[in-house]
Amino acid sequence: MNIKKRVFSLLSSCYVVGCLLAQNILISTPATSLVLSAPEKGELKYIYYGAKLSDRDFQTIGSLDKGKYAAYPVYGLNCPSEVALAVKHNDGNMTLQLEVVKVESSHQDEVNLTIISLKDKVYPFYVKMYYKAYQDTDIIEIWSEISHQEKKTVVLNQFASAYLPIRKGDVWLSHLYGAWANEGRLEEVPLDAGMKVIKNKDGVRNSHTAHAEVMFSLDGKPRENEGRVIGAALCYSGNYKLRIDTDESDYHHFFAGINEDNSTYNLKNGEVFRTPEQALTYSDEGLSGSSRSFHRWARLHKLANGTKLRKILLNSWEGVYLKINEDGMNQMMADIASMGGELFVMDDGWFGDKYPRRTDKTSLGDWVVDRKKLPSGIGGLLENARKNGVKFGIWIEPEMANTTSELYEKHPDWILKAPNRELVLGRGGTQVVLDLANPKVQDFIFGMVDNLMTNYPEIDYIKWDANMSIMNHGSNYLSDNDQSHMY
């Protein structure tokens, strides 16, 4: 460990111990601060989130405000409002009462990490709250880890990642919604009394109709470059639910996490349930200020090669749809090269042996090149891409299958299907979704992608599609008691 890290580690240890005794914890990015009250053997509570506090501001706010709302509200005792976590112990008790037992802090690279350990006052049930504050952008990620050492299974009925109270005023909500070919529609509405829910239950495409990102404008109708704004983004690709409860109190109550509908989780002794990260940012420069923080965070920490410019590409789909052929692909590569483009992507229609992919009714799951369409195979297309001075990309949809496919004929038990029910079929009247709870299915999908990239390492781009929702709730792999774990 170098001198800088040793000094930081020592200061962090002293600071956290001091804060625990003083009950308050300060978590900051370059321009934002989050303050929590964490008295030992007491309840973890929110005090402040917003513009960065000076040391004097922190001391002042800590002396005046001990926190009104729990930082991670739980169900069972004094809980007339919405909660983040609700469980059922094996003895039937549905209550929790969490107290602070430990606070830890560490620093690595451009991140300060604070971990606050909570324990139920009676049961051996534990929650760890994580607060990850980036020092190169104004983002704090929050998530929880839930575990227990009870003798039998504990049922998790609600398991949000994070909660944030937002003081009432002229607060407006901005979020995106839409549908196929009509995505990214902006809605801006004032937060009035009642419950606002933004959700996804598609099972596959979680930003197709709504997004798990919202912004709260605290000073009236949203403006691009002015006004205080809190931004929130849930880092999760599955079913989600964002809840905003505007009750009789002086606050809007914001919860974000995995959608718990039909998804109760049976948590075993010693198992750890980790919720997805909820990213928060704050800006006094309007919507654009919060957007810039999210963009910088995503480029630096979430996207592969996020700081590099994306290539200008031509995709084959709108040109030929499923009528892939070698001459046509080569011509398209020459065309995009002549216009100064940098990448060509061959879309759906290149695969299938016993069942060639000529319509959308067959072949998904049979990831072998159709040599009648592409006599020289993928290797031949890569060679032609090199000649034209462009990169080559390819379309796949490995989480799907068609009932008319060799994969389905060999492994009909690999798909999601409700027991004792007829299959509900998707696109083309034959599409189904593979059961990714099954390790064999996981290995098949990983192997398909791995083989493609191993055999053709020059492939520069993968278009990974998803053209069907989950329409059949049922896993042939999961036990009867764990069918709610499917999502």
Side-chain angles (χ1 to χ4, degrees):
M1 182 183 292
N2 61 35
I3 295 297
K4 182 178 179 181
K5 287 187 177 180
R6 285 183 180 179
V7 171
F8 181 87
S9 179
L10 178 61
L11 290 175
S12 295
S13 299
C14 295
Y15 179 71
V16 168
V17 171
C19 284
L20 188 55
L21 295 175
Q23 299 188 351
N24 294 335
I25 298 171
L26 176 65
I27 299 167
S28 291
T29 68
T32 73
S33 287
L34 170 68
V35 180
L36 302 168
S37 172
E40 190 171 5
K41 299 296 183 180
E43 187 177 22
L44 179 65
K45 292 185 176 181
Y46 266 116
I47 292 180
Y48 171 86
Y49 178 63
K52 188 168 185 176
L53 301 177
S54 66
D55 290 341
R56 178 174 291 182
D57 291 335
F58 172 56
Q59 293 171 5
T60 301
I61 197 172
S63 65
L64 297 175
D65 190 345
K66 301 304 179 184
K68 183 176 182 180
Y69 292 104
Y72 198 64
V74 296
Y75 180 78
L77 299 175
N78 190 24
C79 54
S81 301
E82 292 290 305
V83 297
L85 179 63
V87 310
K88 182 180 180 181
H89 304 279
N90 190 257
D91 63 3
N93 193 325
M94 296 182 68
T95 67
L96 284 173
Q97 192 173 23
L98 300 178
E99 61 182 10
V100 177
V101 296
K102 185 168 63 173
V103 179
E104 303 167 89
S105 181
S106 63
H107 174 79
Q108 185 174 8
D109 298 327
E110 296 294 333
V111 168
N112 293 340
L113 180 64
T114 302
I115 306 172
I116 303 176
S117 297
L118 312 173
K119 180 189 176 299
D120 186 80
K121 289 188 175 183
V122 175
Y123 292 84
F125 186 94
Y126 309 93
V127 175
K128 285 187 176 182
M129 296 301 303
Y130 288 78
Y131 299 88
K132 186 175 183 179
Y134 289 89
Q135 301 306 298
D136 55 1
T137 186
D138 289 309
I139 298 291
I140 298 174
E141 294 177 7
I142 307 172
W143 71 94
S144 59
E145 286 186 354
I146 304 163
S147 63
H148 72 88
Q149 294 178 358
E150 300 182 29
K151 292 181 179 179
K152 296 183 180 180
T153 296
V154 174
V155 178
L156 306 184
N157 293 314
Q158 185 105 45
F159 28 82
S161 296
Y163 158 72
L164 183 70
I166 300 171
R167 185 175 288 277
K168 285 183 180 177
D170 192 4
V171 180
W172 284 59
L173 171 72
S174 301
H175 74 100
L176 300 174
Y177 72 99
W180 182 84
N182 192 29
E183 296 92 344
R185 303 294 300 274
L186 175 63
E187 181 181 60
E188 296 179 330
V189 293
L191 285 180
D192 297 321
M195 178 78 81
K196 174 75 173 180
V197 176
I198 299 170
K199 64 178 176 59
N200 177 271
K201 297 175 69 172
D202 184 282
V204 177
R205 305 165 296 186
N206 85 335
S207 60
H208 195 60
T209 54
H211 287 244
E213 304 93 34
V214 294
M215 291 193 184
F216 299 96
S217 296
L218 309 183
D219 300 312
K221 192 170 182 178
R223 291 167 289 170
E224 277 299 325
N225 299 301
E226 295 179 325
R228 298 171 300 149
V229 172
I230 293 173
L234 185 68
C235 307
Y236 189 58
S237 60
N239 290 356
Y240 62 82
K241 182 184 286 186
L242 312 182
R243 293 172 284 152
I244 305 155
D245 184 19
T246 302
D247 60 14
E248 73 284 356
S249 72
D250 293 330
Y251 287 82
H252 307 283
H253 304 276
F254 174 60
F255 299 82
I258 297 172
N259 194 325
E260 78 284 356
D261 288 356
N262 300 303
S263 294
T264 55
Y265 193 85
N266 302 314
L267 188 67
K268 299 178 178 61
N269 179 307
E271 183 181 5
V272 177
F273 185 96
R274 187 185 191 278
T275 65
E277 300 94 340
Q278 170 67 58
L280 290 177
T281 191
Y282 169 87
S283 173
D284 58 8
E285 298 178 350
L287 299 173
S288 292
S290 289
S291 291
R292 285 190 291 272
S293 292
F294 277 131
H295 292 171
R296 178 174 173 80
W297 163 73
R299 287 194 299 267
L300 292 177
H301 301 287
K302 294 298 178 180
L303 296 175
N305 304 311
T307 58
K308 295 182 179 179
L309 291 175
R310 274 17 187 184
K311 297 179 179 68
I312 298 171
L313 67 86
L314 173 65
N315 182 279
S316 70
W317 181 248
E318 298 292 343
V320 298
Y321 295 106
L322 292 164
K323 297 178 181 178
I324 296 288
N325 65 77
E326 194 165 291
D327 290 341
M329 299 300 97
N330 291 338
Q331 182 61 55
M332 284 187 166
M333 281 188 260
D335 290 343
I336 188 62
S338 71
M339 292 184 283
E342 302 157 291
L343 171 65
F344 171 73
V345 180
M346 178 175 65
D347 210 284
D348 192 358
W350 58 269
F351 53 92
D353 184 14
K354 181 179 178 180
Y355 302 105
R357 180 75 163 174
R358 296 192 177 93
T359 73
D360 61 7
K361 300 177 184 296
T362 72
S363 315
L364 287 176
D366 301 345
W367 302 105
V368 293
V369 174
D370 182 347
R371 289 287 177 172
K372 292 182 178 178
K373 290 184 175 183
L374 303 171
S376 301
I378 295 173
L381 295 175
L382 285 166
E383 182 178 351
N384 195 268
R386 287 193 296 272
K387 290 178 181 178
N388 283 284
V390 296
K391 297 294 184 179
F392 179 80
I394 196 167
W395 179 98
I396 58 174
E397 196 176 15
E399 77 282 8
M400 303 291 179
N402 291 114
T403 52
T404 305
S405 68
E406 293 184 74
L407 178 68
Y408 182 76
E409 290 176 348
K410 294 175 182 176
H411 303 288
D413 58 320
W414 280 13
I415 68 167
L416 292 174
K417 181 183 182 300
N420 305 314
R421 305 290 185 191
E422 293 293 325
L423 266 175
V424 178
L425 299 169
R427 185 186 185 194
T430 62
Q431 188 159 333
V432 290
V433 183
L434 294 179
D435 182 2
L436 272 85
N438 188 334
K440 292 182 179 178
V441 174
Q442 296 172 19
D443 290 344
F444 168 78
I445 293 175
F446 179 87
M448 176 262 163
V449 178
D450 185 56
N451 289 337
L452 185 65
M453 296 306 298
T454 299
N455 293 333
Y456 307 105
E458 290 181 71
I459 290 176
D460 191 68
Y461 181 99
I462 288 180
K463 178 183 174 181
W464 191 315
D465 219 332
N467 287 306
M468 179 182 173
S469 307
I470 290 179
M471 298 180 179
N472 301 272
H473 191 124
S475 167
N476 288 297
Y477 177 79
L478 294 173
S479 68
D480 293 345
N481 291 332
D482 288 343
Q483 287 296 308
S484 60
H485 293 193
M486 192 184 79
Y487 290 116

